Amino acid sequence: MANSPSGDSVTDRIVRILDTFTTERTVQSATDIGRRAGLPSATAHRQVEALVEAGLLERDEDRRVRLGMRLWELALRGSHALRLRQAAMPYMERVQATVREHTQLAVLEQNEALFLERLSSPDSGANITRVAGRLPLHASSSGLVLLAFGSTELQERVLTAPLARISPETITDAATLRRTLAHIRRVGYVVAPGSIESVSTGVAVPVRDGSGAVVAALSVVLPRTAPTEGAIAALSDAAAGIRSTLTADRR
Ligand code: PHB
């Protein structure tokens, strides 16, 4: 791949440009993209134009730039995430109909919980989760489940790094987190009150595929004082249903 005088490859530059888009910052000028990506202005404008021509970025009528539909199309094509989401959707709808609160599906992605889907009704309570958004592993119910069933290497990496306090009740002590993860593996679910915002309780269970490997976490976000037993039962039934769909898919 051709390198620039600063030594970064075209691929590096494209990744840096795409990485300037976040769930909160979805539209930007080419100048702002260049500044955020650390690229010279002329390079940024040229590269953005090439990406627009390829359909990976799109311009609006003010010439501002957003991620293109073609990127979405390519990313979903044959993706494991889409297959998982499709297997999960009927069961997520059932959970949502029973519990009547936010229901969401997350996978492990680069040390964080990445949310593939979220179902909510208009009267559901607070929830900071966004589809295609991420939450920290130690500070969300889904993240705790993914961490509990993740590799030892992942657990040690998280346990030995500083644990950011997102809310007053986030687990920030490594020994407490280690005990919590062992408890989750023993009981097969987590109830995490106030771990990311004080007004809510996250409840999550692992989702296994046909081989028994944990491939996702299924969770609900309840108002802080709501009972959790019904949610645990609904989530566990749903996880079993998703597993049977994923098992049938493998045949
Ligand atoms: C959680 O999974 O623990 C969670 C997620 C989003 C919220 C609250 C709790 O807004």
Side-chain angles (χ1 to χ4, degrees):
M1 199 61 72
N3 281 3
S4 71
S6 62
D8 56 351
S9 69
V10 173
T11 309
D12 287 335
R13 293 198 293 267
I14 292 174
V15 170
R16 267 152 60 193
I17 286 172
L18 297 178
D19 260 346
T20 63
F21 292 88
T22 68
T23 43
E24 282 77 38
R25 189 168 58 228
T26 55
V27 188
Q28 313 175 71
S29 68
T31 305
D32 286 343
I33 291 174
R35 184 174 43 76
R36 292 184 177 122
L39 295 173
S41 177
T43 308
H45 278 83
R46 199 172 51 246
Q47 194 73 69
V48 163
E49 201 45 53
L51 290 169
V52 168
E53 272 168 36
L56 302 186
L57 296 178
E58 289 172 359
R59 280 196 197 282
D60 64 16
E61 52 286 1
D62 301 325
R63 291 194 52 77
R64 296 191 315 154
V65 182
R66 63 171 65 244
L67 295 174
M69 279 302 273
R70 177 140 173 76
L71 203 54
W72 178 87
E73 178 191 357
L74 291 174
L76 288 198
R77 198 173 285 169
S79 101
H80 288 303
L82 183 61
R83 190 169 148 258
L84 179 60
R85 179 188 166 279
Q86 271 169 346
M89 273 302 261
Y91 299 99
M92 291 181 70
E93 278 161 10
R94 200 178 287 172
V95 172
Q96 220 269 323
T98 315
V99 182
R100 304 179 64 78
E101 296 293 349
H102 306 283
T103 306
Q104 38 209 31
L105 182 71
V107 292
L108 180 67
E109 177 63 23
Q110 294 166 329
N111 296 346
E112 289 176 303
L114 171 65
F115 287 83
L116 302 185
E117 189 53 271
R118 162 187 153 168
L119 301 179
S120 307
S121 47
D123 49 352
S124 302
N127 184 2
I128 62 168
T129 314
R130 299 281 171 268
V131 174
R134 294 169 178 238
L135 289 181
L137 293 179
H138 71 290
S140 62
S141 60
S142 302
L144 286 166
V145 159
L146 294 169
L147 186 56
F149 292 97
S151 66
T152 316
E153 191 195 343
L154 170 74
Q155 288 167 11
E156 289 313 313
R157 202 160 53 238
V158 173
L159 283 159
T160 49
L163 298 166
R165 185 182 297 283
I166 315 287
S167 88
E169 288 158 288
T170 306
I171 301 173
T172 54
D173 165 59
T176 310
L177 182 55
R178 208 180 276 282
R179 274 197 307 279
T180 305
L181 298 179
H183 182 73
I184 295 170
R185 283 190 294 272
R186 211 160 44 242
V187 298
Y189 63 84
V190 67
V191 174
S195 69
I196 202 152
E197 52 178 353
S198 303
V199 295
S200 310
T201 295
V203 181
V205 301
V207 175
R208 294 177 188 275
D209 68 6
S211 75
V214 172
V215 290
L218 186 64
S219 65
V220 292
V221 177
L222 306 175
R224 178 60 187 258
T225 53
T228 55
E229 296 74 26
I232 296 167
L235 287 170
S236 303
D237 286 353
I242 299 169
R243 182 177 186 170
S244 61
T245 302
L246 292 174
T247 306
D249 272 5
R250 289 208 316 163
R251 293 202 190 104

